[in-house]
Amino acid sequence: MAEAQKYLPGVPDEEDEIATASLDPRLEQEAERIAEALVFASAQPVSEAYIESRLPRGADVRTIMLRLKAVYATRGVNLVQVADHWAFRTAADLSFVVQTDEQEVRKLSRAALEVLSIIAYHQPVTRAEIEDIRGVQTSKGTLDVLMEAGWVRFRGRRRTPGRPVTFGTTRDFLDHFGLEELRDLPGIEELKGAGLLSGRVPSNLNIPVPTGDDELAENEDPITQLDLEELGLLTPKGEEAD
């Protein structure tokens, strides 16, 4: 039971409970203040590993972050989890207050939205698989727009003839759309309820449930420097391309 509990997010195992219990209350409070300051001072989501490296020895970073999350749950800013990272974000019901006319809203074409949706739900997915699902060819420009936005990335290379590149979403994608993990993506009933699917949707339409696993699949190889050079992301000397 202890072994299974060890891998449950947000549930401390026996060792964590002992460590937390043995931590002086003053150090525990100081650990919370440090974690709060680290996240507040960063413009990007901060990893639990980084936070843990700055906390007093014996502090349980997950317990501390969940406690802070509860503290900020009813405030004007919320502490939100993005995969294994944390960030402060304006409360969803107050977002209209801080919006300004100068803010530029990123607008994606219908093709880009379709491709982004396919990648989000079907990742890891190749360009050929995207085109097979859409029924039309996908231009390189569409994928470039999504990658420049920071929402799509190269995951790896499929172990099939031609070793096609596989695509997946990024942590910035989760952060932008207010998701903790890929499993939080809406299902078919939620999409229908939000009016995002028309009434002419085939009855046999199936929207897969993303695994939420960021690790490479069994049939994927990692992207190497040679792959990056081949894709034009690095010069042959390994320097970043202009």
Side-chain angles (χ1 to χ4, degrees):
M1 174 66 180
E3 184 66 22
Q5 189 181 38
K6 180 178 179 182
Y7 298 97
L8 291 175
V11 180
D13 58 21
E14 294 178 0
E15 294 180 359
D16 289 332
E17 291 174 353
I18 293 174
T20 302
S22 62
L23 194 64
D24 185 280
R26 289 174 297 179
L27 287 179
E28 184 78 10
Q29 184 179 23
E30 185 65 12
E32 284 190 19
R33 295 180 67 241
I34 292 172
E36 183 179 26
L38 289 171
V39 178
F40 179 81
S42 176
Q44 301 295 327
V46 183
S47 70
E48 288 186 359
Y50 179 82
I51 297 172
E52 185 175 27
S53 69
R54 299 298 192 274
L55 298 183
R57 186 176 180 180
D60 180 8
V61 62
R62 177 54 65 92
T63 299
I64 288 172
M65 299 313 294
L66 291 177
R67 187 181 302 142
L68 284 172
K69 179 180 179 180
V71 169
Y72 280 93
T74 58
R75 307 290 291 272
V77 292
N78 299 152
L79 181 63
V80 300
Q81 185 176 356
V82 184
D84 61 345
H85 289 56
W86 294 84
F88 280 114
R89 294 290 181 262
T90 303
D93 61 327
L94 297 178
S95 59
F96 72 95
V97 177
V98 297
Q99 287 180 349
T100 63
D101 295 335
E102 289 77 19
Q103 288 180 321
E104 181 180 353
V105 179
R106 187 185 301 276
K107 293 184 179 180
L108 297 179
S109 65
R110 178 175 178 179
L113 286 172
E114 290 178 355
V115 171
L116 179 61
S117 299
I118 291 171
I119 293 174
Y121 283 95
H122 293 266
Q123 60 187 298
V125 60
T126 65
R127 180 172 174 175
E129 291 167 341
I130 294 172
E131 293 175 346
D132 184 57
I133 294 172
R134 293 187 65 216
V136 295
Q137 288 189 337
T138 298
S139 69
K140 182 178 181 298
T142 298
L143 288 169
D144 286 345
V145 167
L146 296 175
M147 298 190 75
E148 289 172 4
W151 296 342
V152 169
R153 65 184 175 91
F154 294 125
R155 278 182 51 108
R157 304 203 78 151
R158 186 71 55 77
R159 294 176 188 168
T160 55
R163 299 184 66 244
V165 173
T166 56
F167 295 93
T169 53
T170 65
R171 190 174 65 248
D172 285 345
F173 167 82
L174 296 177
D175 191 19
H176 181 83
F177 290 98
L179 305 170
E180 287 191 9
E181 57 180 359
L182 289 173
R183 294 188 185 91
D184 293 332
L185 283 167
I188 189 169
E189 294 304 323
E190 292 174 284
L191 292 174
K192 286 181 178 178
L196 298 177
L197 292 179
S198 68
R200 295 177 293 177
V201 173
S203 59
N204 61 346
L205 175 67
N206 178 46
I207 295 180
V209 178
T211 62
D213 189 357
D214 200 38
E215 298 295 327
L216 292 173
E218 293 182 359
N219 62 346
E220 277 184 294
D221 288 322
I223 293 284
T224 65
Q225 178 173 309
L226 187 62
D227 293 323
L228 294 177
E229 293 173 3
E230 180 183 328
L231 294 166
L233 301 180
L234 288 180
T235 64
K237 292 183 180 180
E239 300 175 352
E240 290 187 7
D242 293 333

PDB file of all heavy atoms in Angstrom, residues 2 10-12 16 34 57 68 85 87 129 149-150 152 160 168 172 180 190 192 208 219 222 234 238:
ATOM      1  N   ALA A   2       1.967   1.193   0.871  1.00  0.00           N
ATOM      2  CA  ALA A   2       2.858   2.340   0.950  1.00  0.00           C
ATOM      3  C   ALA A   2       3.533   2.584  -0.382  1.00  0.00           C
ATOM      4  O   ALA A   2       3.757   3.716  -0.782  1.00  0.00           O
ATOM      5  CB  ALA A   2       3.908   2.113   2.038  1.00  0.00           C
ATOM      6  N   GLY A  10      -0.082  14.471  -4.582  1.00  0.00           N
ATOM      7  CA  GLY A  10      -0.792  15.180  -3.527  1.00  0.00           C
ATOM      8  C   GLY A  10      -1.040  14.364  -2.286  1.00  0.00           C
ATOM      9  O   GLY A  10      -1.622  14.839  -1.331  1.00  0.00           O
ATOM     10  N   VAL A  11      -0.603  13.061  -2.286  1.00  0.00           N
ATOM     11  CA  VAL A  11      -0.808  12.199  -1.131  1.00  0.00           C
ATOM     12  C   VAL A  11       0.552  11.827  -0.563  1.00  0.00           C
ATOM     13  O   VAL A  11       1.279  11.030  -1.147  1.00  0.00           O
ATOM     14  CB  VAL A  11      -1.574  10.908  -1.511  1.00  0.00           C
ATOM     15  CG1 VAL A  11      -1.760  10.043  -0.271  1.00  0.00           C
ATOM     16  CG2 VAL A  11      -2.919  11.271  -2.105  1.00  0.00           C
ATOM     17  N   PRO A  12       0.966  12.406   0.557  1.00  0.00           N
ATOM     18  CA  PRO A  12       2.280  12.117   1.115  1.00  0.00           C
ATOM     19  C   PRO A  12       2.366  10.699   1.624  1.00  0.00           C
ATOM     20  O   PRO A  12       1.402  10.163   2.174  1.00  0.00           O
ATOM     21  CB  PRO A  12       2.403  13.137   2.258  1.00  0.00           C
ATOM     22  CG  PRO A  12       0.998  13.446   2.647  1.00  0.00           C
ATOM     23  CD  PRO A  12       0.206  13.369   1.380  1.00  0.00           C
ATOM     24  N   ASP A  16       7.204  10.948   3.974  1.00  0.00           N
ATOM     25  CA  ASP A  16       6.899  12.377   3.890  1.00  0.00           C
ATOM     26  C   ASP A  16       6.252  12.869   5.167  1.00  0.00           C
ATOM     27  O   ASP A  16       6.534  13.955   5.651  1.00  0.00           O
ATOM     28  CB  ASP A  16       5.976  12.673   2.706  1.00  0.00           C
ATOM     29  CG  ASP A  16       6.712  12.514   1.387  1.00  0.00           C
ATOM     30  OD1 ASP A  16       7.931  12.712   1.383  1.00  0.00           O
ATOM     31  OD2 ASP A  16       6.035  12.202   0.387  1.00  0.00           O
ATOM     32  N   ILE A  34       9.303  30.974   1.526  1.00  0.00           N
ATOM     33  CA  ILE A  34      10.304  30.847   0.465  1.00  0.00           C
ATOM     34  C   ILE A  34       9.646  30.387  -0.831  1.00  0.00           C
ATOM     35  O   ILE A  34       9.887  30.948  -1.908  1.00  0.00           O
ATOM     36  CB  ILE A  34      11.410  29.857   0.878  1.00  0.00           C
ATOM     37  CG1 ILE A  34      12.241  30.438   2.031  1.00  0.00           C
ATOM     38  CG2 ILE A  34      12.316  29.520  -0.309  1.00  0.00           C
ATOM     39  CD1 ILE A  34      13.229  29.467   2.627  1.00  0.00           C
ATOM     40  N   ARG A  57      15.835  21.576   4.525  1.00  0.00           N
ATOM     41  CA  ARG A  57      15.859  20.113   4.422  1.00  0.00           C
ATOM     42  C   ARG A  57      14.732  19.504   5.232  1.00  0.00           C
ATOM     43  O   ARG A  57      14.489  19.886   6.383  1.00  0.00           O
ATOM     44  CB  ARG A  57      17.206  19.592   4.923  1.00  0.00           C
ATOM     45  CG  ARG A  57      17.379  18.091   4.730  1.00  0.00           C
ATOM     46  CD  ARG A  57      18.766  17.660   5.149  1.00  0.00           C
ATOM     47  NE  ARG A  57      18.942  16.226   4.963  1.00  0.00           N
ATOM     48  CZ  ARG A  57      20.052  15.569   5.244  1.00  0.00           C
ATOM     49  NH1 ARG A  57      21.094  16.233   5.743  1.00  0.00           N
ATOM     50  NH2 ARG A  57      20.130  14.270   5.037  1.00  0.00           N
ATOM     51  N   LEU A  68      -0.469  26.250   0.070  1.00  0.00           N
ATOM     52  CA  LEU A  68      -0.499  27.607  -0.468  1.00  0.00           C
ATOM     53  C   LEU A  68      -1.608  27.761  -1.510  1.00  0.00           C
ATOM     54  O   LEU A  68      -2.259  28.799  -1.586  1.00  0.00           O
ATOM     55  CB  LEU A  68       0.856  27.949  -1.091  1.00  0.00           C
ATOM     56  CG  LEU A  68       1.999  28.278  -0.127  1.00  0.00           C
ATOM     57  CD1 LEU A  68       3.316  28.407  -0.886  1.00  0.00           C
ATOM     58  CD2 LEU A  68       1.696  29.559   0.640  1.00  0.00           C
ATOM     59  N   HIS A  85       4.868  22.176 -12.381  1.00  0.00           N
ATOM     60  CA  HIS A  85       5.307  23.546 -12.143  1.00  0.00           C
ATOM     61  C   HIS A  85       4.180  24.337 -11.468  1.00  0.00           C
ATOM     62  O   HIS A  85       3.019  23.930 -11.497  1.00  0.00           O
ATOM     63  CB  HIS A  85       5.696  24.235 -13.454  1.00  0.00           C
ATOM     64  CG  HIS A  85       6.970  23.726 -14.060  1.00  0.00           C
ATOM     65  ND1 HIS A  85       7.178  22.393 -14.363  1.00  0.00           N
ATOM     66  CD2 HIS A  85       8.106  24.389 -14.429  1.00  0.00           C
ATOM     67  CE1 HIS A  85       8.397  22.253 -14.892  1.00  0.00           C
ATOM     68  NE2 HIS A  85       8.962  23.446 -14.937  1.00  0.00           N
ATOM     69  N   ALA A  87       2.560  28.494 -10.639  1.00  0.00           N
ATOM     70  CA  ALA A  87       2.570  29.895 -11.051  1.00  0.00           C
ATOM     71  C   ALA A  87       1.397  30.632 -10.422  1.00  0.00           C
ATOM     72  O   ALA A  87       0.375  30.033 -10.085  1.00  0.00           O
ATOM     73  CB  ALA A  87       2.498  30.001 -12.570  1.00  0.00           C
ATOM     74  N   GLU A 129      -0.255  11.653 -39.781  1.00  0.00           N
ATOM     75  CA  GLU A 129      -1.428  11.263 -38.998  1.00  0.00           C
ATOM     76  C   GLU A 129      -2.378  12.447 -38.822  1.00  0.00           C
ATOM     77  O   GLU A 129      -3.607  12.267 -38.829  1.00  0.00           O
ATOM     78  CB  GLU A 129      -0.980  10.712 -37.645  1.00  0.00           C
ATOM     79  CG  GLU A 129      -0.269   9.367 -37.753  1.00  0.00           C
ATOM     80  CD  GLU A 129       0.435   8.967 -36.476  1.00  0.00           C
ATOM     81  OE1 GLU A 129       0.697   9.855 -35.626  1.00  0.00           O
ATOM     82  OE2 GLU A 129       0.737   7.763 -36.323  1.00  0.00           O
ATOM     83  N   ALA A 149       4.210  30.081 -31.333  1.00  0.00           N
ATOM     84  CA  ALA A 149       3.390  30.471 -30.185  1.00  0.00           C
ATOM     85  C   ALA A 149       3.853  29.771 -28.911  1.00  0.00           C
ATOM     86  O   ALA A 149       3.483  30.166 -27.802  1.00  0.00           O
ATOM     87  CB  ALA A 149       1.915  30.145 -30.452  1.00  0.00           C
ATOM     88  N   GLY A 150       4.667  28.718 -29.068  1.00  0.00           N
ATOM     89  CA  GLY A 150       5.168  27.982 -27.915  1.00  0.00           C
ATOM     90  C   GLY A 150       4.212  26.931 -27.409  1.00  0.00           C
ATOM     91  O   GLY A 150       4.366  26.427 -26.295  1.00  0.00           O
ATOM     92  N   VAL A 152       3.261  24.064 -29.321  1.00  0.00           N
ATOM     93  CA  VAL A 152       3.545  22.759 -29.926  1.00  0.00           C
ATOM     94  C   VAL A 152       5.055  22.585 -30.013  1.00  0.00           C
ATOM     95  O   VAL A 152       5.788  23.540 -30.243  1.00  0.00           O
ATOM     96  CB  VAL A 152       2.906  22.655 -31.334  1.00  0.00           C
ATOM     97  CG1 VAL A 152       3.420  21.425 -32.074  1.00  0.00           C
ATOM     98  CG2 VAL A 152       1.386  22.590 -31.223  1.00  0.00           C
ATOM     99  N   THR A 160       9.402   4.133 -37.358  1.00  0.00           N
ATOM    100  CA  THR A 160       8.773   3.591 -38.563  1.00  0.00           C
ATOM    101  C   THR A 160       9.599   4.065 -39.752  1.00  0.00           C
ATOM    102  O   THR A 160      10.442   4.959 -39.609  1.00  0.00           O
ATOM    103  CB  THR A 160       7.317   4.083 -38.695  1.00  0.00           C
ATOM    104  OG1 THR A 160       7.302   5.521 -38.653  1.00  0.00           O
ATOM    105  CG2 THR A 160       6.445   3.537 -37.574  1.00  0.00           C
ATOM    106  N   GLY A 168       3.867  17.183 -30.046  1.00  0.00           N
ATOM    107  CA  GLY A 168       3.131  17.185 -28.796  1.00  0.00           C
ATOM    108  C   GLY A 168       2.960  18.615 -28.318  1.00  0.00           C
ATOM    109  O   GLY A 168       3.558  19.544 -28.871  1.00  0.00           O
ATOM    110  N   ASP A 172       3.648  25.522 -21.871  1.00  0.00           N
ATOM    111  CA  ASP A 172       3.029  26.822 -22.140  1.00  0.00           C
ATOM    112  C   ASP A 172       1.603  26.660 -22.653  1.00  0.00           C
ATOM    113  O   ASP A 172       0.740  27.511 -22.399  1.00  0.00           O
ATOM    114  CB  ASP A 172       3.858  27.604 -23.172  1.00  0.00           C
ATOM    115  CG  ASP A 172       5.137  28.177 -22.579  1.00  0.00           C
ATOM    116  OD1 ASP A 172       5.237  28.219 -21.341  1.00  0.00           O
ATOM    117  OD2 ASP A 172       6.024  28.566 -23.355  1.00  0.00           O
ATOM    118  N   GLU A 180      -4.099  21.966 -15.699  1.00  0.00           N
ATOM    119  CA  GLU A 180      -3.037  21.422 -14.862  1.00  0.00           C
ATOM    120  C   GLU A 180      -2.294  20.320 -15.606  1.00  0.00           C
ATOM    121  O   GLU A 180      -1.081  20.171 -15.489  1.00  0.00           O
ATOM    122  CB  GLU A 180      -3.599  20.874 -13.553  1.00  0.00           C
ATOM    123  CG  GLU A 180      -4.036  21.944 -12.562  1.00  0.00           C
ATOM    124  CD  GLU A 180      -4.336  21.377 -11.192  1.00  0.00           C
ATOM    125  OE1 GLU A 180      -4.046  20.165 -10.968  1.00  0.00           O
ATOM    126  OE2 GLU A 180      -4.857  22.118 -10.343  1.00  0.00           O
ATOM    127  N   GLU A 190     -18.529  17.680 -22.932  1.00  0.00           N
ATOM    128  CA  GLU A 190     -18.235  19.056 -22.527  1.00  0.00           C
ATOM    129  C   GLU A 190     -18.132  19.968 -23.741  1.00  0.00           C
ATOM    130  O   GLU A 190     -18.597  21.112 -23.720  1.00  0.00           O
ATOM    131  CB  GLU A 190     -16.932  19.091 -21.729  1.00  0.00           C
ATOM    132  CG  GLU A 190     -17.011  18.403 -20.376  1.00  0.00           C
ATOM    133  CD  GLU A 190     -15.658  18.332 -19.701  1.00  0.00           C
ATOM    134  OE1 GLU A 190     -14.837  17.497 -20.092  1.00  0.00           O
ATOM    135  OE2 GLU A 190     -15.420  19.127 -18.779  1.00  0.00           O
ATOM    136  N   LYS A 192     -19.648  19.522 -26.620  1.00  0.00           N
ATOM    137  CA  LYS A 192     -21.014  19.716 -27.125  1.00  0.00           C
ATOM    138  C   LYS A 192     -21.755  20.745 -26.279  1.00  0.00           C
ATOM    139  O   LYS A 192     -22.432  21.634 -26.801  1.00  0.00           O
ATOM    140  CB  LYS A 192     -21.775  18.387 -27.118  1.00  0.00           C
ATOM    141  CG  LYS A 192     -21.365  17.407 -28.201  1.00  0.00           C
ATOM    142  CD  LYS A 192     -22.197  16.135 -28.106  1.00  0.00           C
ATOM    143  CE  LYS A 192     -21.851  15.146 -29.206  1.00  0.00           C
ATOM    144  NZ  LYS A 192     -22.629  13.886 -29.084  1.00  0.00           N
ATOM    145  N   PRO A 208     -10.273  10.856 -28.195  1.00  0.00           N
ATOM    146  CA  PRO A 208      -9.439  10.105 -27.253  1.00  0.00           C
ATOM    147  C   PRO A 208      -9.139  10.895 -25.997  1.00  0.00           C
ATOM    148  O   PRO A 208      -9.144  12.123 -26.003  1.00  0.00           O
ATOM    149  CB  PRO A 208      -8.159   9.840 -28.064  1.00  0.00           C
ATOM    150  CG  PRO A 208      -8.108  10.956 -29.046  1.00  0.00           C
ATOM    151  CD  PRO A 208      -9.541  11.242 -29.404  1.00  0.00           C
ATOM    152  N   ASN A 219       7.443   3.445 -29.147  1.00  0.00           N
ATOM    153  CA  ASN A 219       7.854   3.491 -30.555  1.00  0.00           C
ATOM    154  C   ASN A 219       8.443   4.843 -30.947  1.00  0.00           C
ATOM    155  O   ASN A 219       8.456   5.213 -32.110  1.00  0.00           O
ATOM    156  CB  ASN A 219       6.673   3.154 -31.465  1.00  0.00           C
ATOM    157  CG  ASN A 219       5.537   4.153 -31.330  1.00  0.00           C
ATOM    158  OD1 ASN A 219       5.488   4.956 -30.406  1.00  0.00           O
ATOM    159  ND2 ASN A 219       4.593   4.091 -32.267  1.00  0.00           N
ATOM    160  N   PRO A 222      14.240   9.674 -28.918  1.00  0.00           N
ATOM    161  CA  PRO A 222      14.420  11.093 -28.568  1.00  0.00           C
ATOM    162  C   PRO A 222      15.011  11.897 -29.719  1.00  0.00           C
ATOM    163  O   PRO A 222      15.698  11.356 -30.587  1.00  0.00           O
ATOM    164  CB  PRO A 222      15.375  11.035 -27.370  1.00  0.00           C
ATOM    165  CG  PRO A 222      16.123   9.749 -27.546  1.00  0.00           C
ATOM    166  CD  PRO A 222      15.131   8.791 -28.144  1.00  0.00           C
ATOM    167  N   LEU A 234      19.252  23.792 -35.717  1.00  0.00           N
ATOM    168  CA  LEU A 234      20.630  24.048 -35.333  1.00  0.00           C
ATOM    169  C   LEU A 234      21.490  24.050 -36.584  1.00  0.00           C
ATOM    170  O   LEU A 234      21.196  23.349 -37.554  1.00  0.00           O
ATOM    171  CB  LEU A 234      21.151  22.961 -34.373  1.00  0.00           C
ATOM    172  CG  LEU A 234      20.617  22.933 -32.927  1.00  0.00           C
ATOM    173  CD1 LEU A 234      21.262  21.794 -32.185  1.00  0.00           C
ATOM    174  CD2 LEU A 234      20.881  24.244 -32.231  1.00  0.00           C
ATOM    175  N   GLY A 238      26.225  22.950 -34.399  1.00  0.00           N
ATOM    176  CA  GLY A 238      25.506  22.835 -33.142  1.00  0.00           C
ATOM    177  C   GLY A 238      25.099  24.158 -32.546  1.00  0.00           C
ATOM    178  O   GLY A 238      24.625  24.221 -31.428  1.00  0.00           O
TER     179      GLY A 238
END
